[in-house]
Amino acid sequence: MSLTQQYSNYTEENHKVWAILFQRQIENLPGKAIPEFFEGLKLVNFKPDRIPDFNEVNQRLKQLTGFEVVPAPGIVDDAVFFSLIANKQFPATVWIRSMEQLDYLEEPDMFHDVFGHVPLLTIPVYCEFLAALSAMALEHVDKPDVIDKLTRIYWYTIEFGLFRKQGEAAKIYGAGILSSVGESKLSVSDESIKYGFDVDHILDTAYIKETFQSQYFCIESFEELLESLPKISEAIAAMRRQLEKV
């Protein structure tokens, strides 16, 4: 993609929106998000009062995990999306919501993409899983039914995953929750349904885009994600064989 982040084009209101959203979540997330998220914020050197410059972020990120953030026009198609991530390039929108849109957006903006995702891109094992899952999806972009199943894995881990060690309270690592003040409260509360991480269960569970999730899946470690890849691959291969018989 040839799109660039024209940093000088951001207005005073743009930076103010970032500052409001950033401060709100920094006050809201302690005790709810995993410690690695806060460590990641420091490692990429996000500032509370200004939108991150992708060039500055990438100088730090590439040294840590080899990943970089690349500007995207918005939601990109599956082939482009998975191709970029398989090559350790995370697509992020360059626009940020207006002051009137602080609490609701129909599609992800920079605050979701950057605040929610980028701090986790400092974790090597997380990045290894993300790149491998995307490479797997890239092999099946010609089969929408298969991509839908793999998107469920992505959705219930990278976007809306919870982390729960045995005997401890659930904590957030999914970017869609980290960037949402409402869902970050709901997801870890007693009001939400939480399951252990189970590949077959996730593959059979449709996700919700329009409202908060009705259920979440919890991992005990990021290694658990990496170790699940062979089972995901086997399940997808079996599904593809079934589809090709029809």
Side-chain angles (χ1 to χ4, degrees), residues 14-27 48 96-98 101-103 105 109-112 115 178-179 181:
N14 293 152
H15 290 291
K16 187 173 182 181
V17 166
W18 170 272
I20 291 170
L21 295 171
F22 186 95
Q23 189 59 36
R24 187 165 70 176
Q25 285 304 80
I26 287 299
E27 292 174 359
I96 193 163
R97 68 194 76 180
S98 68
Q101 298 171 306
L102 285 178
D103 295 311
L105 280 180
D109 72 337
M110 175 197 292
F111 187 74
H112 162 77
F115 180 87
L178 290 168
S179 59
V181 70

Side-chain angles (χ1 to χ4, degrees), residues 144-147 149 234-244:
D145 290 345
V146 175
I147 289 299
K149 294 289 188 180
E234 289 170 15
I236 292 303
M239 180 186 178
R240 177 137 192 166
R241 285 194 298 271
Q242 193 64 35
L243 287 170
E244 288 171 349

Side-chain angles (χ1 to χ4, degrees), residues 88-224:
K88 296 188 174 182
Q89 295 180 306
F90 192 88
T93 50
V94 294
W95 64 275
I96 193 163
R97 68 194 76 180
S98 68
M99 201 67 76
E100 291 73 31
Q101 298 171 306
L102 285 178
D103 295 311
Y104 177 76
L105 280 180
E106 290 187 3
E107 61 178 295
D109 72 337
M110 175 197 292
F111 187 74
H112 162 77
D113 287 347
V114 177
F115 180 87
H117 283 285
V118 172
L120 275 295
L121 295 177
T122 63
I123 304 172
V125 64
Y126 171 95
C127 288
E128 192 176 345
F129 168 76
L130 178 57
L133 182 68
S134 299
M136 191 187 303
L138 204 55
E139 296 174 8
H140 302 284
V141 287
D142 60 325
K143 295 288 184 183
D145 290 345
V146 175
I147 289 299
D148 177 67
K149 294 289 188 180
L150 283 171
T151 300
R152 293 178 183 189
I153 299 289
Y154 181 92
W155 188 269
Y156 284 116
T157 57
I158 304 303
E159 289 290 353
F160 291 94
L162 294 179
F163 195 107
R164 182 170 60 186
K165 291 184 179 179
Q166 193 168 7
E168 296 183 9
K171 286 189 167 52
I172 305 159
Y173 75 91
I177 314 176
L178 290 168
S179 59
S180 167
V181 70
E183 192 144 10
S184 56
K185 292 176 180 176
L186 169 69
S187 62
V188 296
S189 75
D190 293 336
E191 296 175 32
S192 70
I193 299 170
K194 304 174 188 67
Y195 297 105
F197 184 75
D198 181 277
V199 168
D200 292 330
H201 191 174
I202 294 174
L203 289 172
D204 287 338
T205 305
Y207 55 85
I208 303 168
K209 281 188 174 182
E210 294 76 19
T211 63
F212 295 159
Q213 303 306 297
S214 60
Q215 54 199 334
Y216 302 89
F217 293 87
C218 305
I219 60 170
E220 293 187 13
S221 69
F222 285 120
E223 284 74 18
E224 188 175 2

